[in-house]
Amino acid sequence: MTDTPTFGRYAEIPVEQMTAEQQAGYRFLVDGPRGRLPGPYRVWVHNPALVHAVAPLGNHFTPGQSALSEREREITVLVTCGKWGSAYPTNSHERRGKEVGLPPAVVEAIVAGRPAALTDEREGVVYDVALALANGRLIPQDLYDRAVKALGHEGITDMIVLMGYYTCVSLTMNFYAVPVSGGGTPRH
């Protein structure tokens, strides 16, 4: 295994140097629905049991699989990654948010931690709930009522679990100091 960082401070394992279990985890990802080894999975493949556990959760949040629209998903992810100050996924999802039609001013406001002006009721509720949860706030009854009415419990639970998933992504990227580019950085 190389000691030269290839993904932030993390030195990725060449496939031919992976254990049989790591290779199976790698194949599970690249031959499965993802078809690649994205972002944190480049690190998580080191732990093949984790890869097999977390990949189905990640797949649940691909387009058309959860109760959230793509725009709602991106709002949730941007709030979460912004909370943790994680450059790599924030940059990726800033681009994705604009691709799915979020106004650039809204995306930039969310990333900067400024109030975002969302005109769609569901999107506004997603933003308000995600922001409150990301900032460790209790959900007041009026916001709870609006969220249940707008998203239903399926949408709310999808949003909450998505925040947990992207907290894992963000913390992984932060620990390994993965820059926006994803490239290697010197270890100190």
Side-chain angles (χ1 to χ4, degrees):
M1 182 166 75
T2 179
D3 287 336
T4 304
T6 57
F7 191 59
R9 292 189 285 207
Y10 182 72
E12 294 172 273
I13 308 166
V15 176
E16 63 278 359
Q17 293 178 18
M18 290 179 179
T19 66
E21 293 82 10
Q22 289 167 334
Q23 286 183 2
Y26 175 83
R27 297 265 45 109
F28 176 71
L29 292 168
V30 298
D31 295 341
R34 289 197 176 272
R36 59 192 176 88
L37 195 66
Y41 290 93
R42 292 168 66 177
V43 175
W44 294 346
V45 76
H46 205 109
N47 182 343
L50 175 66
V51 165
H52 286 282
V54 78
L57 181 60
N59 288 340
H60 176 73
F61 294 110
T62 58
Q65 300 299 310
S66 80
L68 300 174
S69 73
E70 277 298 285
R71 287 168 56 120
E72 293 163 355
R73 177 185 183 275
E74 293 308 318
I75 291 165
T76 304
V77 171
L78 286 167
V79 167
T80 305
C81 294
K83 164 65 178 172
W84 294 106
S86 191
Y88 182 87
T90 299
N91 181 60
S92 174
H93 287 278
E94 182 177 2
R95 285 192 318 272
R96 183 69 183 140
K98 292 173 184 173
E99 287 171 6
V100 299
L102 288 172
V106 167
V107 172
E108 291 163 15
I110 294 170
V111 169
R114 296 189 320 262
L118 293 153
T119 56
D120 179 88
E121 180 185 355
R122 275 180 60 104
E123 291 174 4
V125 167
V126 166
Y127 176 71
D128 290 346
V129 170
L131 195 61
L133 291 173
N135 289 311
R137 303 285 184 240
L138 296 176
I139 302 297
Q141 189 65 45
D142 68 321
L143 179 53
Y144 173 89
D145 292 341
R146 284 190 305 129
V148 170
K149 181 180 177 190
L151 303 171
H153 294 291
E154 184 179 0
I156 293 165
T157 56
D158 268 352
M159 191 185 80
I160 291 166
V161 173
L162 179 62
M163 290 181 74
Y165 178 81
Y166 270 90
T167 294
C168 295
V169 168
S170 295
L171 295 178
T172 299
M173 299 296 100
N174 286 352
F175 181 82
Y176 290 102
V178 178
V180 169
S181 69
T185 56
R187 295 187 217 200
H188 300 288

